[in-house]
Short mmCIF file of all heavy atoms in Angstrom, two decimals:
data_model
loop_
_atom_site.label_atom_id
_atom_site.label_comp_id
_atom_site.label_asym_id
_atom_site.label_seq_id
_atom_site.Cartn_x
_atom_site.Cartn_y
_atom_site.Cartn_z
N GLY T 41 57.77 99.55 57.83
CA GLY T 41 59.13 99.05 57.89
C GLY T 41 59.93 99.76 58.96
O GLY T 41 59.70 100.93 59.26
N SER T 42 60.87 99.05 59.57
CA SER T 42 61.75 99.72 60.52
C SER T 42 63.18 99.57 60.03
O SER T 42 63.49 98.69 59.24
CB SER T 42 61.59 99.12 61.90
OG SER T 42 62.00 97.78 61.90
N ARG T 43 64.02 100.43 60.51
CA ARG T 43 65.43 100.42 60.13
C ARG T 43 66.26 99.99 61.31
O ARG T 43 65.89 100.19 62.47
CB ARG T 43 65.87 101.82 59.69
CG ARG T 43 65.35 102.23 58.34
CD ARG T 43 66.21 103.35 57.78
NE ARG T 43 66.01 104.62 58.47
CZ ARG T 43 66.98 105.53 58.65
NH1 ARG T 43 68.19 105.29 58.22
NH2 ARG T 43 66.72 106.67 59.26
N THR T 44 67.40 99.41 61.01
CA THR T 44 68.33 99.00 62.06
C THR T 44 69.68 99.64 61.79
O THR T 44 70.13 99.64 60.65
CB THR T 44 68.49 97.46 62.06
OG1 THR T 44 67.21 96.88 62.30
CG2 THR T 44 69.44 97.01 63.15
N ILE T 45 70.27 100.22 62.81
CA ILE T 45 71.64 100.71 62.64
C ILE T 45 72.53 100.05 63.68
O ILE T 45 72.14 99.85 64.83
CB ILE T 45 71.77 102.25 62.74
CG1 ILE T 45 71.05 102.81 63.98
CG2 ILE T 45 71.27 102.95 61.49
CD1 ILE T 45 71.33 104.29 64.21
N ASP T 46 73.73 99.68 63.22
CA ASP T 46 74.74 99.13 64.13
C ASP T 46 75.62 100.27 64.60
O ASP T 46 76.01 101.13 63.82
CB ASP T 46 75.57 98.06 63.42
CG ASP T 46 74.75 96.81 63.16
OD1 ASP T 46 73.96 96.44 64.05
OD2 ASP T 46 74.88 96.22 62.08
N LEU T 47 75.90 100.26 65.89
CA LEU T 47 76.66 101.35 66.50
C LEU T 47 77.76 100.76 67.36
O LEU T 47 77.78 99.57 67.65
CB LEU T 47 75.75 102.18 67.42
CG LEU T 47 74.50 102.79 66.82
CD1 LEU T 47 73.48 103.05 67.92
CD2 LEU T 47 74.85 104.08 66.13
N LYS T 48 78.66 101.61 67.75
CA LYS T 48 79.57 101.23 68.84
C LYS T 48 79.80 102.49 69.66
O LYS T 48 80.77 103.21 69.50
CB LYS T 48 80.88 100.67 68.30
CG LYS T 48 81.76 100.11 69.42
CD LYS T 48 82.85 99.23 68.86
CE LYS T 48 83.86 98.78 69.91
NZ LYS T 48 83.30 98.36 71.19
N VAL T 49 78.80 102.78 70.48
CA VAL T 49 78.82 103.99 71.29
C VAL T 49 78.99 103.59 72.74
O VAL T 49 78.23 102.77 73.25
CB VAL T 49 77.50 104.77 71.13
CG1 VAL T 49 77.52 106.02 71.99
CG2 VAL T 49 77.25 105.13 69.67
N ARG T 50 79.99 104.16 73.40
CA ARG T 50 80.18 103.88 74.82
C ARG T 50 78.99 104.43 75.60
O ARG T 50 78.60 105.60 75.43
CB ARG T 50 81.45 104.56 75.33
CG ARG T 50 82.72 103.98 74.76
CD ARG T 50 83.52 103.19 75.78
NE ARG T 50 83.67 103.85 77.06
CZ ARG T 50 83.74 103.19 78.23
NH1 ARG T 50 83.64 101.88 78.26
NH2 ARG T 50 83.89 103.85 79.35
N ILE T 51 78.41 103.60 76.46
CA ILE T 51 77.28 104.05 77.27
C ILE T 51 77.71 105.22 78.15
O ILE T 51 76.94 106.15 78.40
CB ILE T 51 76.73 102.87 78.11
CG1 ILE T 51 76.00 101.90 77.18
CG2 ILE T 51 75.82 103.38 79.22
CD1 ILE T 51 75.56 100.62 77.85
N LEU T 52 78.96 105.18 78.62
CA LEU T 52 79.45 106.25 79.49
C LEU T 52 80.18 107.33 78.69
O LEU T 52 81.05 108.02 79.23
CB LEU T 52 80.36 105.66 80.57
CG LEU T 52 79.62 104.76 81.57
CD1 LEU T 52 80.58 104.11 82.54
CD2 LEU T 52 78.57 105.55 82.33
N ASP T 53 79.81 107.47 77.43
CA ASP T 53 80.43 108.45 76.56
C ASP T 53 80.41 109.86 77.16
O ASP T 53 81.40 110.59 77.12
CB ASP T 53 79.70 108.44 75.20
CG ASP T 53 80.38 109.33 74.19
OD1 ASP T 53 81.58 109.11 73.95
OD2 ASP T 53 79.73 110.25 73.67
N GLU T 54 79.26 110.24 77.73
CA GLU T 54 79.13 111.57 78.35
C GLU T 54 80.15 111.76 79.47
O GLU T 54 80.80 112.80 79.56
CB GLU T 54 77.73 111.69 78.98
CG GLU T 54 76.78 112.59 78.25
CD GLU T 54 75.41 112.53 78.92
OE1 GLU T 54 75.18 113.31 79.84
OE2 GLU T 54 74.59 111.66 78.54
N CYS T 133 76.84 105.64 94.48
CA CYS T 133 77.89 104.83 95.09
C CYS T 133 79.27 105.10 94.51
O CYS T 133 80.19 104.32 94.73
CB CYS T 133 77.53 103.37 94.89
SG CYS T 133 77.10 102.99 93.18
N HIS T 134 79.42 106.17 93.74
CA HIS T 134 80.72 106.45 93.12
C HIS T 134 80.74 107.94 92.77
O HIS T 134 79.69 108.57 92.68
CB HIS T 134 80.88 105.65 91.84
CG HIS T 134 79.78 105.94 90.86
ND1 HIS T 134 78.61 105.22 90.82
CD2 HIS T 134 79.63 106.91 89.92
CE1 HIS T 134 77.81 105.73 89.91
NE2 HIS T 134 78.40 106.76 89.34
N CYS T 165 81.84 99.86 92.02
CA CYS T 165 81.29 100.85 91.09
C CYS T 165 82.28 101.91 90.59
O CYS T 165 82.26 102.23 89.40
CB CYS T 165 80.09 101.51 91.71
SG CYS T 165 78.89 100.33 92.34
N SER T 168 84.22 101.86 87.02
CA SER T 168 83.68 102.14 85.69
C SER T 168 83.80 103.61 85.29
O SER T 168 83.61 103.93 84.12
CB SER T 168 82.19 101.77 85.63
OG SER T 168 82.01 100.42 85.99
N PHE T 169 84.10 104.49 86.25
CA PHE T 169 83.99 105.92 85.97
C PHE T 169 85.35 106.62 85.97
O PHE T 169 85.99 106.76 87.01
CB PHE T 169 83.07 106.59 87.00
CG PHE T 169 81.65 106.16 86.84
CD1 PHE T 169 81.19 105.00 87.44
CD2 PHE T 169 80.77 106.89 86.06
CE1 PHE T 169 79.88 104.57 87.26
CE2 PHE T 169 79.46 106.48 85.88
CZ PHE T 169 79.02 105.32 86.48
N LEU T 190 91.67 89.42 94.12
CA LEU T 190 91.14 88.41 93.21
C LEU T 190 89.63 88.49 93.11
O LEU T 190 89.03 88.12 92.10
CB LEU T 190 91.54 87.00 93.68
CG LEU T 190 93.04 86.76 93.87
CD1 LEU T 190 93.30 85.29 94.20
CD2 LEU T 190 93.82 87.16 92.63
N PRO T 193 88.47 92.22 90.60
CA PRO T 193 89.52 92.45 89.60
C PRO T 193 89.52 93.84 88.95
O PRO T 193 90.59 94.42 88.80
CB PRO T 193 89.28 91.36 88.55
CG PRO T 193 88.49 90.32 89.25
CD PRO T 193 87.68 91.03 90.29
N PRO T 194 88.36 94.40 88.54
CA PRO T 194 88.45 95.67 87.79
C PRO T 194 89.12 96.79 88.58
O PRO T 194 89.85 97.60 88.02
CB PRO T 194 86.99 96.02 87.48
CG PRO T 194 86.28 94.71 87.50
CD PRO T 194 86.97 93.92 88.59
N SER T 197 92.90 95.87 88.36
CA SER T 197 93.51 95.84 87.03
C SER T 197 93.64 97.24 86.45
O SER T 197 94.43 97.47 85.54
CB SER T 197 92.70 94.94 86.09
OG SER T 197 91.41 95.47 85.90
N ARG T 225 100.02 91.25 92.86
CA ARG T 225 100.83 91.18 91.64
C ARG T 225 100.10 90.45 90.53
O ARG T 225 100.25 90.78 89.35
CB ARG T 225 102.17 90.48 91.93
CG ARG T 225 103.08 91.36 92.76
CD ARG T 225 104.54 90.95 92.66
NE ARG T 225 105.31 91.70 93.66
CZ ARG T 225 105.56 91.24 94.90
NH1 ARG T 225 105.14 90.04 95.27
NH2 ARG T 225 106.23 91.99 95.75
N ARG T 226 99.30 89.46 90.91
CA ARG T 226 98.56 88.70 89.88
C ARG T 226 97.41 89.51 89.30
O ARG T 226 97.06 89.36 88.13
CB ARG T 226 98.01 87.40 90.49
CG ARG T 226 99.10 86.40 90.79
CD ARG T 226 98.63 85.46 91.87
NE ARG T 226 98.04 84.25 91.30
CZ ARG T 226 97.40 83.35 92.04
NH1 ARG T 226 97.24 83.54 93.34
NH2 ARG T 226 96.90 82.28 91.48
N SER T 227 96.77 90.35 90.13
CA SER T 227 95.61 91.08 89.63
C SER T 227 95.98 92.46 89.12
O SER T 227 95.20 93.08 88.40
CB SER T 227 94.55 91.20 90.73
OG SER T 227 95.07 91.92 91.81
N PRO T 229 99.49 93.51 87.76
CA PRO T 229 100.94 93.42 87.48
C PRO T 229 101.55 94.75 87.06
O PRO T 229 102.76 94.94 87.15
CB PRO T 229 101.02 92.38 86.36
CG PRO T 229 99.68 92.30 85.77
CD PRO T 229 98.71 92.66 86.85
N MET U 1 75.08 99.56 93.79
CA MET U 1 74.12 99.41 92.66
C MET U 1 74.19 100.68 91.81
O MET U 1 73.44 101.62 92.00
CB MET U 1 72.72 99.19 93.25
CG MET U 1 71.55 99.41 92.28
SD MET U 1 71.20 98.01 91.26
CE MET U 1 69.85 98.68 90.28
N HIS U 2 75.16 100.74 90.92
CA HIS U 2 75.28 101.91 90.06
C HIS U 2 74.64 101.65 88.72
O HIS U 2 74.73 102.45 87.82
CB HIS U 2 76.74 102.32 89.91
CG HIS U 2 77.59 101.31 89.20
ND1 HIS U 2 77.56 99.98 89.50
CD2 HIS U 2 78.49 101.45 88.20
CE1 HIS U 2 78.43 99.35 88.72
NE2 HIS U 2 78.99 100.21 87.92
N ILE U 6 73.85 103.76 85.10
CA ILE U 6 74.30 103.23 83.79
C ILE U 6 73.11 103.14 82.84
O ILE U 6 73.21 103.50 81.66
CB ILE U 6 74.94 101.83 83.97
CG1 ILE U 6 76.13 101.88 84.93
CG2 ILE U 6 75.33 101.24 82.61
CD1 ILE U 6 77.43 102.35 84.37
N ALA U 9 72.23 106.56 81.64
CA ALA U 9 73.22 107.01 80.65
C ALA U 9 72.98 106.31 79.31
O ALA U 9 73.08 106.92 78.24
CB ALA U 9 74.64 106.73 81.15
N ALA U 10 72.65 105.02 79.36
CA ALA U 10 72.40 104.25 78.13
C ALA U 10 71.20 104.82 77.39
O ALA U 10 71.22 105.00 76.17
CB ALA U 10 72.17 102.78 78.47
N ARG U 12 70.02 107.85 77.56
CA ARG U 12 70.35 109.15 76.97
C ARG U 12 71.09 108.96 75.65
O ARG U 12 70.81 109.66 74.67
CB ARG U 12 71.22 109.97 77.94
CG ARG U 12 70.43 110.65 79.04
CD ARG U 12 71.21 111.79 79.69
NE ARG U 12 72.45 111.34 80.31
CZ ARG U 12 72.53 110.82 81.54
NH1 ARG U 12 71.44 110.70 82.28
NH2 ARG U 12 73.68 110.45 82.03
N GLN U 13 71.99 107.98 75.60
CA GLN U 13 72.69 107.70 74.33
C GLN U 13 71.71 107.20 73.27
O GLN U 13 71.82 107.56 72.09
CB GLN U 13 73.79 106.64 74.54
CG GLN U 13 75.07 107.20 75.17
CD GLN U 13 75.70 108.30 74.33
OE1 GLN U 13 75.58 108.33 73.10
NE2 GLN U 13 76.35 109.24 74.99
N GLN U 17 71.28 109.07 69.74
CA GLN U 17 71.57 108.38 68.47
C GLN U 17 70.31 108.28 67.62
O GLN U 17 70.36 108.41 66.39
CB GLN U 17 72.14 106.98 68.74
CG GLN U 17 73.47 106.98 69.49
CD GLN U 17 74.59 107.62 68.68
OE1 GLN U 17 74.59 107.57 67.44
NE2 GLN U 17 75.53 108.24 69.36
N ALA U 21 69.58 109.86 63.90
CA ALA U 21 69.24 109.00 62.76
C ALA U 21 67.86 109.35 62.19
O ALA U 21 67.40 108.72 61.25
CB ALA U 21 69.29 107.53 63.18
N HIS U 27 62.18 100.90 68.47
CA HIS U 27 61.52 99.63 68.76
C HIS U 27 62.39 98.71 69.61
O HIS U 27 61.90 97.95 70.42
CB HIS U 27 61.18 98.90 67.45
CG HIS U 27 60.33 99.71 66.53
ND1 HIS U 27 59.05 100.07 66.84
CD2 HIS U 27 60.61 100.26 65.32
CE1 HIS U 27 58.54 100.80 65.84
NE2 HIS U 27 59.48 100.93 64.91
N LEU U 31 72.31 96.40 73.88
CA LEU U 31 73.50 96.85 74.62
C LEU U 31 74.47 95.69 74.74
O LEU U 31 74.07 94.52 74.69
CB LEU U 31 73.10 97.31 76.03
CG LEU U 31 72.00 98.37 76.14
CD1 LEU U 31 71.68 98.65 77.60
CD2 LEU U 31 72.40 99.64 75.42
N SER U 37 83.48 94.91 82.75
CA SER U 37 83.01 96.29 82.69
C SER U 37 82.65 96.83 84.06
O SER U 37 82.48 98.04 84.22
CB SER U 37 81.78 96.38 81.78
OG SER U 37 80.69 95.70 82.37
N GLY U 38 82.53 95.95 85.04
CA GLY U 38 82.11 96.39 86.36
C GLY U 38 80.59 96.54 86.47
O GLY U 38 80.10 97.04 87.47
N GLY U 85 89.25 85.67 88.63
CA GLY U 85 89.91 86.92 88.98
C GLY U 85 91.35 87.00 88.52
O GLY U 85 92.00 88.02 88.69
N LEU U 86 91.89 85.92 87.97
CA LEU U 86 93.29 85.94 87.52
C LEU U 86 93.35 86.51 86.11
O LEU U 86 93.50 85.80 85.13
CB LEU U 86 93.88 84.53 87.56
CG LEU U 86 93.84 83.90 88.95
CD1 LEU U 86 94.37 82.48 88.90
CD2 LEU U 86 94.65 84.72 89.94
N LEU U 87 93.21 87.82 86.05
CA LEU U 87 93.08 88.47 84.75
C LEU U 87 94.30 88.30 83.87
O LEU U 87 94.21 88.28 82.66
CB LEU U 87 92.86 89.98 84.94
CG LEU U 87 91.56 90.39 85.58
CD1 LEU U 87 91.41 91.88 85.52
CD2 LEU U 87 90.41 89.72 84.86
N PHE U 88 95.46 88.21 84.50
CA PHE U 88 96.69 88.34 83.72
C PHE U 88 97.54 87.08 83.75
O PHE U 88 98.63 87.07 83.23
CB PHE U 88 97.51 89.51 84.25
CG PHE U 88 96.72 90.79 84.26
CD1 PHE U 88 96.24 91.32 85.44
CD2 PHE U 88 96.42 91.45 83.08
CE1 PHE U 88 95.51 92.49 85.45
CE2 PHE U 88 95.69 92.62 83.08
CZ PHE U 88 95.23 93.14 84.27
N GLU U 89 97.07 86.03 84.43
CA GLU U 89 97.91 84.85 84.58
C GLU U 89 97.61 83.86 83.46
O GLU U 89 96.52 83.32 83.36
CB GLU U 89 97.65 84.21 85.94
CG GLU U 89 98.64 83.14 86.27
CD GLU U 89 98.57 82.75 87.76
OE1 GLU U 89 98.68 83.65 88.60
OE2 GLU U 89 98.39 81.56 88.03
N ILE U 96 102.74 86.00 84.35
CA ILE U 96 101.81 87.02 84.80
C ILE U 96 102.07 88.27 83.97
O ILE U 96 103.20 88.74 83.89
CB ILE U 96 102.00 87.32 86.30
CG1 ILE U 96 101.62 86.06 87.11
CG2 ILE U 96 101.14 88.49 86.73
CD1 ILE U 96 101.97 86.15 88.57
N LEU U 106 81.11 98.30 77.30
CA LEU U 106 79.88 98.81 77.91
C LEU U 106 79.30 99.74 76.86
O LEU U 106 79.48 100.95 76.92
CB LEU U 106 80.21 99.53 79.23
CG LEU U 106 79.02 99.95 80.09
CD1 LEU U 106 78.14 98.78 80.41
CD2 LEU U 106 79.50 100.59 81.38
N ASP U 107 78.67 99.13 75.86
CA ASP U 107 78.35 99.85 74.62
C ASP U 107 76.88 99.72 74.22
O ASP U 107 76.22 98.74 74.54
CB ASP U 107 79.19 99.29 73.45
CG ASP U 107 80.68 99.46 73.66
OD1 ASP U 107 81.06 100.46 74.31
OD2 ASP U 107 81.44 98.61 73.18
N LEU U 108 76.44 100.74 73.50
CA LEU U 108 75.18 100.65 72.75
C LEU U 108 75.57 100.17 71.35
O LEU U 108 76.38 100.83 70.68
CB LEU U 108 74.53 102.04 72.69
CG LEU U 108 73.40 102.23 71.68
CD1 LEU U 108 72.21 101.34 72.01
CD2 LEU U 108 72.96 103.70 71.66
N VAL U 109 75.07 99.00 70.93
CA VAL U 109 75.56 98.43 69.67
C VAL U 109 74.52 98.38 68.54
O VAL U 109 74.88 98.21 67.39
CB VAL U 109 76.16 97.03 69.85
CG1 VAL U 109 77.44 97.11 70.69
CG2 VAL U 109 75.17 96.05 70.47
N ARG U 110 73.23 98.49 68.86
CA ARG U 110 72.24 98.42 67.78
C ARG U 110 70.96 99.12 68.19
O ARG U 110 70.55 99.08 69.34
CB ARG U 110 71.94 96.95 67.43
CG ARG U 110 71.31 96.77 66.05
CD ARG U 110 71.25 95.29 65.65
NE ARG U 110 72.57 94.68 65.79
CZ ARG U 110 72.81 93.54 66.47
NH1 ARG U 110 71.83 92.89 67.04
NH2 ARG U 110 74.03 93.07 66.57
N LEU U 111 70.34 99.72 67.20
CA LEU U 111 69.04 100.36 67.40
C LEU U 111 68.13 99.98 66.25
O LEU U 111 68.54 100.01 65.09
CB LEU U 111 69.18 101.89 67.38
CG LEU U 111 69.61 102.62 68.64
CD1 LEU U 111 69.57 104.11 68.38
CD2 LEU U 111 68.70 102.25 69.81
N GLU U 112 66.91 99.64 66.57
CA GLU U 112 65.90 99.38 65.55
C GLU U 112 64.81 100.44 65.74
O GLU U 112 64.33 100.62 66.86
CB GLU U 112 65.32 97.97 65.77
CG GLU U 112 64.74 97.35 64.54
CD GLU U 112 64.30 95.92 64.87
OE1 GLU U 112 65.15 95.10 65.25
OE2 GLU U 112 63.08 95.67 64.78
N PHE U 113 64.48 101.14 64.67
CA PHE U 113 63.57 102.27 64.84
C PHE U 113 62.82 102.52 63.56
O PHE U 113 63.14 101.98 62.50
CB PHE U 113 64.37 103.52 65.24
CG PHE U 113 65.43 103.89 64.25
CD1 PHE U 113 65.15 104.71 63.17
CD2 PHE U 113 66.72 103.40 64.40
CE1 PHE U 113 66.13 105.04 62.25
CE2 PHE U 113 67.71 103.72 63.47
CZ PHE U 113 67.41 104.54 62.40
N SER U 114 61.82 103.36 63.62
CA SER U 114 61.12 103.78 62.40
C SER U 114 60.84 105.27 62.52
O SER U 114 61.09 105.89 63.57
CB SER U 114 59.82 103.01 62.20
OG SER U 114 58.98 103.15 63.31
#
Side-chain angles (χ1 to χ4, degrees):
Chain T
S42 64
R43 287 201 288 147
T44 299
I45 48 172
D46 289 321
L47 304 157
K48 187 164 173 43
V49 179
R50 292 251 314 147
I51 288 173
L52 294 175
D53 186 57
E54 252 175 89
C133 50
H134 58 269
C165 309
S168 304
F169 292 85
L190 304 186
S197 64
R225 288 200 189 93
R226 289 157 94 189
S227 61
Chain U
M1 164 83 181
H2 65 314
I6 301 279
R12 280 199 300 276
Q13 282 301 330
Q17 297 295 330
H27 303 294
L31 306 177
S37 67
L86 301 177
L87 294 188
F88 305 106
E89 190 166 306
I96 294 171
L106 189 56
D107 298 329
L108 166 63
V109 293
R110 200 170 308 129
L111 277 184
E112 204 176 299
F113 57 88
S114 57

